[in-house]
């Protein structure tokens, strides 16, 4: 136990001290050219007015009294924190900008408000939304204001040092055709949440490294629940099935899925041998009783009650899992692990990004200044405390000593950033993820004939070709 904690602490220090250095001196938005005034938003769509190349320093003096409306999906504590941050910025900013924030309650509702109109007629100037949504609004109708020139601005941009300390993979989700469409607001990752104490009692004194080792431990946990005196946990143990699209994609990438986005045809292609291998492996877990489907969509209680040795979760889940462990009075030691890859382990990055909608030069600039302020370490740290997820570099992490001390497993999650990947960097992922989820769930159903898995993959690609056409 002491050795595990020591390794976690070393990993944290390496990330805090060396991650920016490991990325080298280059900017993490590599590189961000200043777009010429005559450029288009994308190769397919002409740039609507106003032009992209507004020089921010020329408009600063005209910002007094400009009102900015920012929408986001956050609720609860995150909503409260954003409200306080908006009040603080409005009170203290030197330009006289007034910020109003509003929770849509979910990312889907927010997208509907932007695309169809909010009932009271209000429109936003800035949003916090999934990267695929921002990319859709950028490529489909030129709704988004690219941020390259502001990021590079010597006076009002982000400093090179600040940009360089934010991990490269956090930026990549918002990049397309050389444009930086959004800035990372909240980042999480897919992980396998794993019970070290129960595994040790089952005879396993090290976390599994390969799919075969995961299978062995999952089946041992399921067998233990069948043999014990508690009849209510029969049929549980092992992996708690999760058909979330990011979990599905991460398993498929772990088994070797590559280049699923074909830019030449603008299609997603999941019908690959690696995808079939991943689905077959997981279906074998289900059929052998080493994985099971819970009735409660939340995995936290199942894990705390030892009804799952591991489950597919998110870094955002960690604080919730710890709270449930305490409520259940569990003393089990648990951790997070990456998915076992053929060549190397991996996790998949997810999260939300700040974006600016096209309005007027003054309002766009005012929105940028608020978002730039939110990117500062103090504001980022406040959002992590309220909602979890990753810090945006060591400067933010240094302000989260209390959070790290209260959630030790977070240290383990920090060490997974260097092996993180992003989902397909295309607007097509916005719709395709739900089609993938449906197909993955069908493949893992015990009533689905195993021999039909290749046909489900074939039908998945055929459906995607129709559903995501034109984004």
């Amino acid at each position: 136990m002491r050795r595990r904690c020591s390794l976690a602490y070393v990993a944290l220090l390496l990330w805090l001290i060396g991650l920016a250095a490991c990325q080298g001196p280059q900017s993490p938005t590599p590189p961000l050219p200043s777009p010429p005034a005559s450029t288009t938003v994308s190769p397919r769509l002409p740039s609507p007015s106003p032009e992209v190349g507004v020089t921010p320093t020329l408009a600063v003096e005209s910002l007094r009294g400009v009102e900015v409306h920012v929408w986001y999906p956050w609720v609860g504590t995150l909503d409260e924190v954003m409200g306080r941050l908006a009040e603080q910025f409005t009170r203290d900013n030197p330009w006289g900008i007034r910020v109003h924030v509003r929770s849509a309650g979910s990312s889907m509702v927010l997208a509907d408000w932007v695309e169809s109109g909010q009932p009271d007629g209000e429109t936003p100037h800035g949003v916090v939304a999934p990267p695929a949504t921002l990319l859709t609004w950028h490529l489909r109708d030129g709704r988004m204001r690219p941020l390259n020139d502001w990021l590079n601005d010597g006076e009002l941009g982000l400093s090179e040092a600040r940009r360089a300390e934010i991990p490269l993979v956090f930026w990549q989700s918002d990049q397309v055709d050389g444009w930086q469409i959004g800035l990372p607001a909240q980042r999480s990752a897919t992980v396998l949440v794993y019970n070290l104490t129960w595994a040790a009692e089952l005879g396993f004194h090290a976390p599994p490294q390969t799919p075969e080792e995961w299978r062995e431990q999952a089946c041992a946990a399921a067998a233990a629940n069948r043999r014990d005196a508690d009849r209510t946990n029969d049929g549980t143990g092992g992996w708690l099935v999760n058909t979330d699209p990011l979990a599905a994609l991460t398993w498929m990438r772990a088994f070797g899925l590559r280049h699923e986005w074909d830019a030449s045809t603008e299609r997603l292609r999941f019908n690959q041998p690696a995808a079939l291998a991943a689905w077959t492996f997981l279906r074998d877990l289900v059929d052998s009783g080493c994985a099971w489907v819970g009735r409660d969509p939340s995995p936290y209680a199942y894990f705390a009650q030892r009804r799952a040795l591991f489950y597919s979760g998110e870094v955002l889940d960690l604080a919730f899992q710890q709270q449930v462990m305490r409520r259940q009075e569990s003393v089990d030691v648990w951790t997070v692990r990456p998915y076992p890859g053929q060549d190397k382990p991996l996790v998949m990055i997810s999260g939300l990004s700040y974006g600016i909608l096209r309005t007027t030069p003054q309002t766009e600039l005012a929105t940028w200044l608020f978002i730039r302020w939110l990117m500062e370490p103090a504001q980022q740290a406040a959002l992590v405390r309220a909602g979890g997820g990753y810090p945006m570099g060591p400067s933010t992490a240094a302000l989260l000593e209390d959070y790290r001390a209260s959630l030790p497993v977070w240290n383990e999650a920090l060490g997974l950033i260097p092996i993180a990947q992003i989902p397909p960097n295309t607007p097509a992922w916005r719709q395709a993820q739900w089609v993938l989820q449906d197909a993955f769930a069908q493949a893992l159903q015990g009533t689905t004939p195993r021999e039909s898995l290749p046909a489900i993959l074939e039908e998945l690609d055929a459906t995607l070709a129709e559903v995501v056409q034109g984004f």
Side-chain angles (χ1 to χ4, degrees), residues 367-451:
T367 307
W368 161 257
L369 292 171
F370 176 56
I371 289 175
R372 187 194 66 166
W373 181 79
L374 290 175
M375 293 288 292
E376 293 177 1
Q379 287 71 256
Q380 287 184 337
L383 292 171
V384 171
R385 284 195 189 91
Y390 280 129
M392 300 298 169
S395 294
T396 303
L399 301 177
L400 291 166
E401 293 288 340
D402 56 336
Y403 186 82
R404 182 166 61 250
S406 68
L407 188 64
V409 72
W410 192 62
N411 299 337
E412 311 280 351
L414 294 182
L416 301 178
I417 294 175
I419 61 172
Q421 301 179 14
I422 63 170
N425 196 21
T426 167
W429 179 245
R430 182 183 174 190
Q431 288 81 27
Q433 60 183 315
W434 310 119
V435 182
L436 172 61
Q437 181 179 45
D438 289 344
F440 188 54
Q442 182 182 356
L444 297 187
Q445 284 181 357
T447 56
T448 299
R450 288 170 52 87
E451 57 271 18

Side-chain angles (χ1 to χ4, degrees), residues 101-124:
V101 295
R102 184 171 190 172
S103 171
S106 74
S107 294
M108 295 183 68
V109 172
L110 187 148
D112 183 62
W113 282 3
V114 171
E115 295 170 355
S116 303
Q118 212 283 330
D120 63 11
E122 179 184 308
T123 58

Side-chain angles (χ1 to χ4, degrees), residues 60-227:
V60 168
E61 301 304 323
S62 64
L63 297 182
R64 185 158 301 279
V66 171
E67 297 199 0
V68 169
H69 294 264
V70 176
W71 293 356
Y72 48 78
W74 292 321
V75 296
T77 304
L78 267 172
D79 181 25
E80 295 172 3
V81 169
M82 278 294 285
R84 291 197 293 269
L85 290 175
E87 292 175 359
Q88 179 181 345
F89 181 83
T90 298
R91 181 183 65 245
D92 298 339
N93 82 85
W95 306 287
I97 301 167
R98 302 175 62 185
V99 175
H100 309 274
V101 295
R102 184 171 190 172
S103 171
S106 74
S107 294
M108 295 183 68
V109 172
L110 187 148
D112 183 62
W113 282 3
V114 171
E115 295 170 355
S116 303
Q118 212 283 330
D120 63 11
E122 179 184 308
T123 58
H125 308 119
V127 292
V128 179
T133 300
L134 298 184
L135 296 180
T136 299
W137 292 341
H138 168 65
L139 290 171
R140 187 176 63 188
D141 55 12
R143 195 187 297 265
M144 302 307 301
R145 203 285 190 189
L147 306 177
N148 300 50
D149 55 340
W150 279 334
L151 280 166
N152 282 328
D153 185 84
E155 181 179 349
L156 297 178
L158 291 180
S159 69
E160 183 177 352
R162 182 73 187 105
R163 290 164 55 197
E165 74 167 350
I166 299 175
L168 172 62
V169 71
F170 290 2
W171 295 89
Q172 290 174 326
S173 297
D174 300 305
Q175 295 175 348
V176 63
D177 296 335
W179 297 106
Q180 190 74 39
I181 305 303
L183 302 182
Q186 184 182 59
R187 289 293 185 262
S188 181
T190 58
V191 293
L192 294 173
V193 182
Y194 172 74
N195 189 319
L196 285 161
T197 301
W198 190 20
E201 292 177 10
L202 295 171
F204 304 102
H205 299 286
Q209 303 295 323
T210 67
E212 292 70 26
E213 291 177 359
W214 282 104
R215 182 206 312 270
E216 181 184 10
Q217 295 200 20
C219 292
N225 280 2
R226 287 195 299 270
R227 290 194 305 263

